[in-house]
Amino acid sequence: MRTTRFNACLEFIGEGCISLKRVGITGEGEGVGKVTSVLIVDGYNDEPGGLGVPPYIDVYPRYIAGALWSADKSIRIDYVDVDSFRSRISAWLRRAKGYQVVVFIAGVVVPGRYIGAKPAEPEELVEWARRIEGPSKVLVGPAAKWGLGVKGGAIAYPPWYFKREGFDVLVTGDVEEYFYDMALHGPEKADPGRVREDYKLVDKIAPKGARIVKMHPSYGRNLIAEIETYRGCARWVTGGCSFCVEPLRGRPVGRSPEAIMREVEALYKAGVRHFRLGRQADILVYGAKRLGDEEWPRPSPEDLRRLFHGIRSVAPSLQVLHIDNVNPGTIARHPKASLEALKVIVEYHTPGDVAAMGLETADPRVARINNLNTYPEEVLEAIRIVNKVGAIRGWNGLPHLLPGINFILGLPGETRETYELNREFLEKVLEEGLMVRRVNIRRILIIPVTRAARMGAGVKRKYEHLASSFTRWVRRRFDQEMLRRIVPKGTVMRGLWVEECSGGICYARQPGSYPLVVAIPCRLPRGTYIDKVYVTGVHSGRSLLGVPVPLSPSSSIKSLSTLTGSMESAAEVKKGASVHPFVSRPGWVCREF
């Protein structure tokens, strides 16, 4: 069934949403007749359930292309990432005028730090929209639906800002619905507020849009396709967490394993070898019988097995199969079923995986005020269970599956004690000898449609020093100790790609969920593939030090010394007077910048 709804913000922000309707957010843009050419500018998205920052490609460009080509395979569709668009801005702005429709994808809802990519910012989007005269300019993604943030702690730019400043249409519904109707009936009859009731159209068009990945800058290297398994949050029945937009999507709706398999197969045939099941609030409840009816449905290990086994069968030589988002509340309430579900994931996935968990705060009082999904002791028990299943080391040098922890600073109700409890929680993790792959600390992004926006969210000035002190302690103490546990010196990591070089160091990562950064003090071209990296230590709270191996004896003395342990022994190896197991010809010639 396909239906039309106005943006859900009407219920939450009153007059603000009425303003959106007045300025035509529901699509009263310019008519362009039959659509024959479309340019997709991927400004990237980062959401609670979905990532589209390189090397990831999210569902938006794939669904848009698939919807258009399903309706009319003759439509010309071009794709460009925003970094390429930005680097040759004058040329791209001129070229954009030659299309009938220019689509911008944008929306950072959970701001992070990105390597080798920079998401589109609000001021850029409106400037580009103003300068592109002629085509219909369409904004999609979180920016159109919820607003666009620049950094945590700030108030997001509301959707009406973009409509007022130059966009013709804001797609507040589902992109495949709008663009499918656009291609069939013309832009004037396409409803940008149309929301899917099921996945029938997605399942039809998603495989057809797979080939758009060939235009992505990471294609053929470390490209990761984000896969949608279901939409919404099981906790929608109680309103969900105060800060989150996922519950606002309404009752959860799931995809069948067979439909997901068909999309993965199409992506695999198009050349994708890295996949993440990341577009959902909690992978453990995929296929759960009571998903949508209960706040805490029991996991269905059988349905997860059908899904993961099916993906492996259609993509037999995949290199990465990872997940994202595990609700610790599910594990706490259904420990046996969750344990079995986690075992299924570890059986079929690839190592180096991360089960990201939303603790958000270790202060029970703040958790109650913000209707958070679980409490500190429950999260700690969930961390123990994931460690029990996933701590074993895999072929690529990393443990199979480890938990990640999310903290949000600035939640309504915070006090001085909140920061003390946050630190005490992590100290307990250290004391118990547990492993946590990463700790994500962000300041709340205040999105007008969320309850937190009306509850006085944001780090109070009197707590600023506490927020900064907590973050420093995590990065300098907790993270560095955790990195030494997870990747001790001498570990050989497999399959890394150089993504960025600056300050005399190249930064390389494995494709996957929240990949560890390895700082390599060698001059290497961006995009270089390194089969093996020998870890020599910790570079910072969030990165390791390493060198590619085997190293050629022609490498610099400094590079060789990271393997041998001293400049003297490196000199001996370089002269051939002694041997080292990771120095040989042929090998990597590592020289400083």
Side-chain angles (χ1 to χ4, degrees):
M1 179 184 294
R2 302 172 66 198
T3 187
T4 301
R5 295 180 184 168
F6 185 62
N7 194 330
C9 69
L10 184 62
E11 178 182 348
F12 292 94
I13 58 174
E15 178 61 23
C17 203
I18 293 171
S19 296
L20 300 187
K21 193 171 183 180
R22 276 202 300 268
V23 296
I25 193 170
T26 52
E28 296 169 4
E30 297 177 9
V32 294
K34 178 177 169 58
V35 176
T36 59
S37 61
V38 176
L39 173 65
I40 300 173
V41 183
D42 193 348
Y44 315 145
N45 62 289
D46 193 349
E47 308 170 56
L51 178 61
V53 182
Y56 282 83
I57 183 168
D58 205 353
V59 299
Y60 294 108
R62 288 151 37 204
Y63 287 4
I64 292 169
L68 292 169
W69 281 329
S70 293
D72 185 349
K73 62 183 180 181
S74 70
I75 295 176
R76 173 192 171 190
I77 304 174
D78 289 321
Y79 168 101
V80 61
D81 65 284
V82 74
D83 288 302
S84 299
F85 189 85
R86 191 186 284 122
S87 67
R88 300 182 64 243
I89 189 61
S90 296
W92 271 111
L93 288 175
R94 287 195 302 270
R95 181 176 173 180
K97 295 177 182 179
Y99 294 83
Q100 286 178 292
V101 180
V102 178
V103 184
F104 285 89
I105 302 165
V108 173
V109 179
V110 284
R113 297 175 62 187
Y114 308 106
I115 294 178
K118 180 185 176 184
E121 296 184 351
E123 293 84 356
E124 291 179 312
L125 289 170
V126 297
E127 179 188 353
W128 298 336
R130 289 170 182 162
R131 293 175 63 182
I132 299 173
E133 297 177 356
S136 177
K137 292 156 289 188
V138 181
L139 181 64
V140 307
K145 192 172 183 67
W146 316 114
L148 176 57
V150 179
K151 62 180 181 178
I155 298 174
Y157 285 76
W160 58 260
Y161 168 77
F162 300 101
K163 179 68 177 179
R164 185 189 69 190
E165 298 297 328
F167 281 91
D168 299 306
V169 180
L170 271 60
V171 178
T172 59
D174 289 306
V175 294
E176 73 280 357
E177 300 281 349
Y178 176 72
F179 286 98
Y180 189 69
D181 281 350
M182 171 191 281
L184 284 178
H185 310 298
E188 298 86 352
K189 295 183 179 180
D191 180 2
R194 188 186 295 276
V195 176
R196 76 171 80 106
E197 289 291 318
D198 54 42
Y199 276 95
K200 288 181 180 178
L201 181 59
V202 169
D203 296 343
K204 172 184 175 180
I205 61 94
K208 295 182 184 297
R211 59 190 170 102
I212 200 76
V213 301
K214 296 180 180 181
M215 302 182 192
H216 193 277
S218 300
Y219 179 75
R221 301 197 305 257
N222 56 340
L223 177 65
I224 308 169
E226 187 82 299
I227 304 298
E228 184 172 19
T229 65
Y230 71 88
R231 82 116 144 254
C233 174
R235 300 192 65 240
W236 80 292
V237 296
T238 62
C241 302
S242 68
F243 58 87
C244 191
V245 298
E246 286 301 310
L248 304 183
R249 299 183 188 276
R251 183 187 183 89
V253 181
R255 299 178 73 187
S256 70
E258 293 75 18
I260 296 171
M261 289 162 53
R262 286 193 293 271
E263 182 183 11
V264 169
E265 183 177 26
L267 289 163
Y268 185 78
K269 289 179 176 178
V272 178
R273 293 295 179 267
H274 312 112
F275 301 89
R276 186 175 83 155
L277 305 180
R279 204 161 180 86
Q280 71 279 313
D282 178 8
I283 187 64
L284 293 185
V285 299
Y286 170 77
K289 301 303 181 286
R290 302 294 295 170
L291 179 61
D293 298 322
E294 295 180 359
E295 184 178 11
W296 301 108
R298 180 186 180 277
S300 174
E302 299 80 12
D303 283 88
L304 281 170
R305 183 176 296 278
R306 285 176 60 206
L307 174 63
F308 277 83
H309 179 269
I311 290 173
R312 282 290 197 167
S313 68
V314 299
S317 298
L318 62 77
Q319 296 169 16
V320 171
L321 178 57
H322 280 181
I323 64 167
D324 191 21
N325 298 330
V326 165
N327 192 332
T330 299
I331 300 176
R333 289 161 178 82
H334 304 286
K336 290 184 180 180
S338 296
L339 182 63
E340 292 306 310
L342 290 165
K343 287 180 179 178
V344 168
I345 292 170
V346 171
E347 180 181 352
Y348 288 100
H349 80 159
T350 56
D353 207 351
V354 181
M357 298 181 180
L359 169 61
E360 319 307 357
T361 179
D363 187 339
R365 176 178 166 273
V366 177
R368 285 191 296 273
I369 290 172
N370 291 276
N371 193 34
L372 301 190
N373 57 29
T374 192
Y375 293 96
E377 279 305 317
E378 296 172 326
V379 177
L380 190 60
E381 180 59 21
I383 291 172
R384 295 182 187 119
I385 290 174
V386 175
N387 269 254
K388 180 180 179 180
V389 175
I392 186 171
R393 200 166 295 277
W395 63 267
N396 62 3
L398 296 183
H400 262 273
L401 175 66
L402 292 180
I405 301 176
N406 298 335
F407 282 97
I408 294 182
L409 308 184
L411 288 171
E414 276 188 352
T415 65
R416 177 181 297 273
E417 185 183 16
T418 301
Y419 293 92
E420 296 172 359
L421 291 170
N422 287 348
R423 179 166 170 170
E424 288 173 9
F425 178 88
L426 293 179
E427 286 175 337
K428 196 165 186 178
V429 172
L430 289 173
E431 290 167 5
E432 291 195 20
L434 298 168
M435 289 192 289
V436 170
R437 174 64 177 275
R438 64 104 178 97
V439 176
N440 185 16
I441 304 172
R442 64 183 176 92
R443 296 184 178 223
I444 188 169
L445 178 64
I446 303 170
I447 302 173
V449 298
T450 61
R451 296 194 311 280
R454 305 190 301 279
M455 296 166 64
V459 176
K460 304 295 187 290
R461 182 173 298 177
K462 61 182 177 181
Y463 299 140
E464 279 286 349
H465 68 289
L466 297 175
S468 299
S469 176
F470 172 66
T471 303
R472 281 197 304 273
W473 179 83
V474 172
R475 299 297 173 232
R476 296 176 182 177
R477 170 76 174 90
F478 183 88
D479 282 354
Q480 295 197 28
E481 171 60 27
M482 202 53 66
L483 283 175
R484 282 188 282 268
R485 290 183 188 181
I486 297 170
V487 194
K489 182 178 179 180
T491 299
V492 176
M493 295 176 62
R494 303 291 303 272
L496 290 80
W497 292 85
V498 176
E499 296 191 33
E500 188 175 85
C501 295
S502 63
I505 293 175
C506 286
Y507 298 93
R509 301 190 294 182
Q510 297 169 323
S513 281
Y514 310 100
L516 292 173
V517 177
V518 182
I520 301 174
C522 303
R523 189 188 301 122
L524 298 169
R526 183 177 177 181
T528 298
Y529 175 76
I530 309 173
D531 181 48
K532 297 179 182 178
V533 169
Y534 181 93
V535 176
T536 61
V538 174
H539 177 61
S540 69
R542 308 193 78 172
S543 60
L544 301 159
L545 272 172
V547 289
V549 291
L551 271 184
S552 167
S554 300
S555 298
S556 69
I557 289 287
K558 184 177 180 180
S559 298
L560 290 168
S561 69
T562 62
L563 286 176
T564 65
S566 68
M567 299 292 279
E568 292 77 12
S569 58
E572 293 293 308
V573 170
K574 191 172 182 65
K575 290 186 297 183
S578 64
V579 296
H580 189 278
F582 288 109
V583 179
S584 66
R585 297 184 190 274
W588 290 90
V589 179
C590 188
R591 298 191 177 95
E592 294 87 46
F593 285 74

